[in-house]
Amino acid sequence: MNQQNKKAIAIDGNCLMYRFFYATQSLVSKYKKNSVVATNALDLFIRSILKLRQKENYTYGLIAFDSPGGSFRNQQFIEYKTNRKGMPDDLFDQVPLIHKAAELMGFYIGKKAGYEADDLIGSFSHLLNTNMINVDIYSTDQDMLQLINEYTSLNVLKKGVSEILKIDFDNFKINNLSVIDPSFVTTYKALAGDSSDNIPGVNGIGQKLANEIINKYGSIENLYSKVNEWTFSDRIKNALINYKDKAFVYRTIATITVNCYDNVSAEAFVLKPVDIVGLKQMCEKFNLYKLLEFINKWEEI
């Protein structure tokens, strides 16, 4: 098959399992009442991934997950993501099952100590892009915007996998109000901050001013190389000077790593056939009979 005809899919498994868990959290009490392991996130995860496999004839596939213990970013900025709650026990118990299900559905499972799912997706995309292969990323994480280029698009999940906003290099400006170009996403986060990751940004610089700075200066390096040309108010000038070192740190931790798979062949990520038997056995083990019906219908398509 010609490389130009090959496509790859990268799925933010960490993001999806959280979303699916909270979307069906009301079911957890039923599992507890019956003293069984909750499978609400697992059920939706399997259904959604199978639907995504039908969307395109993908050749390569990755489902990425965070690893326990945080990432290298926590060492560089101790407050990184400390505003987030820990994983609920009822989801924690489902994680090994979700990993196994992802494997049964034919995907390469991305996990690496010290790195986040974003880094593995970024590295996967970089590897495939180097081979001129298009990559479709599926996530709800806006950090992934920085990975968009001529080969990679971000499919933002709005409602399960039935409502998706596709952002690519051509429509990036239309669909993203924060920055004009994917290469400036990390600069924007460094200046304006990112509350979801607990990155404070430069004191006093909000979204509007961050955009103005990026439009005029582009990179942080260029901004600080032209201090004598600044026309900001004294308050903003002082903030930029006082936060200079922090701004560079914030940009670093906002930047997705792309070299985790430098020594891995693209062929390692070739999608395998879905293990229908294995999925059905999992459904039977956990009494997921409606999911079993779904898989039977999926198999017939």
Side-chain angles (χ1 to χ4, degrees):
M1 183 184 290
N2 190 295
Q3 291 287 70
Q4 292 181 339
N5 296 324
K6 294 181 179 181
K7 289 194 71 174
I9 179 173
I11 299 173
D12 187 345
N14 223 68
C15 176
L16 264 62
M17 70 180 188
Y18 269 97
R19 167 167 280 211
F20 296 153
F21 175 80
Y22 285 114
T24 56
Q25 193 174 14
S26 60
L27 298 175
V28 171
S29 59
K30 180 190 74 172
Y31 297 111
K32 289 184 175 180
K33 184 179 179 180
N34 295 319
S35 300
V36 296
V37 175
T39 52
N40 56 317
L42 173 68
D43 187 319
L44 264 183
F45 187 85
I46 293 174
R47 292 172 186 267
S48 300
I49 302 305
L50 288 178
K51 288 178 181 178
L52 289 178
R53 280 213 60 166
Q54 284 182 327
K55 286 179 70 70
E56 297 269 359
N57 185 25
Y58 292 110
T59 303
Y60 306 95
L62 166 81
I63 299 182
F65 298 92
D66 291 349
S67 292
S71 73
F72 66 90
R73 295 175 178 85
N74 298 98
Q75 298 173 4
Q76 296 177 328
F77 181 56
I78 196 169
E79 296 177 9
Y80 178 67
K81 289 189 176 181
T82 54
N83 57 329
R84 297 191 183 186
K85 296 180 181 179
M87 182 182 293
D89 291 341
D90 293 304
L91 175 57
F92 181 83
D93 292 339
Q94 296 181 65
V95 171
L97 301 176
I98 289 172
H99 289 175
K100 179 61 178 177
E103 182 181 341
L104 290 172
M105 289 185 284
F107 285 83
Y108 184 103
I109 310 304
K111 292 184 294 179
K112 187 173 183 179
Y115 292 89
E116 299 176 52
D118 301 24
D119 300 311
L120 302 177
I121 290 174
S123 299
F124 172 80
S125 300
H126 177 70
L127 173 65
L128 275 294
N129 291 170
T130 301
N131 289 280
M132 295 184 290
I133 295 170
N134 292 324
V135 179
D136 286 340
I137 298 173
Y138 288 87
S139 178
T140 61
D141 191 345
Q142 298 293 307
D143 290 345
M144 303 284 189
L145 289 167
Q146 64 188 275
L147 299 176
I148 293 175
N149 57 38
E150 61 179 311
Y151 294 110
T152 296
S153 64
L154 172 62
N155 296 269
V156 182
L157 305 179
K158 296 293 186 179
K159 185 179 180 182
V161 294
S162 60
E163 186 177 329
I164 297 174
L165 173 63
K166 183 169 185 174
I167 307 176
D168 56 29
F169 200 64
D170 293 327
N171 69 10
F172 184 89
K173 293 181 183 179
I174 298 173
N175 289 296
N176 183 50
L177 300 177
S178 58
V179 291
I180 58 173
D181 187 273
S183 62
F184 294 134
V185 168
T186 55
T187 299
Y188 174 83
K189 289 179 179 291
L191 295 173
D194 183 351
S195 59
S196 66
D197 288 341
N198 207 33
I199 299 174
V202 176
N203 187 36
I205 295 184
Q207 298 178 358
K208 182 179 179 181
L209 183 53
N211 273 321
E212 292 177 2
I213 291 173
I214 290 171
N215 288 335
K216 185 172 183 178
Y217 296 101
S219 68
I220 293 182
E221 286 84 358
N222 194 46
L223 169 66
Y224 283 105
S225 71
K226 298 183 177 180
V227 175
N228 294 332
E229 300 177 17
W230 288 358
T231 57
F232 309 118
S233 67
D234 290 341
R235 180 178 66 85
I236 296 301
K237 285 180 181 179
N238 290 332
L240 285 169
I241 291 171
N242 293 333
Y243 276 75
K244 179 180 179 180
D245 292 341
K246 290 182 178 180
F248 279 96
V249 171
Y250 297 157
R251 187 185 63 174
T252 298
I253 62 176
T255 301
I256 293 175
T257 300
V258 297
N259 59 5
C260 293
Y261 295 133
D262 280 0
N263 297 318
V264 181
S265 167
E267 297 310 300
F269 298 94
V270 171
L271 277 167
K272 299 175 182 176
V274 176
D275 185 346
I276 295 294
V277 173
L279 285 178
K280 288 182 177 181
Q281 289 175 343
M282 179 177 282
C283 289
E284 291 168 354
K285 181 178 180 179
F286 294 99
N287 299 318
L288 296 171
Y289 297 115
K290 289 185 178 180
L291 177 57
L292 183 58
E293 291 178 11
F294 173 86
I295 293 172
N296 286 331
K297 292 178 181 178
W298 183 90
E299 188 180 11
E300 294 172 359
I301 298 175

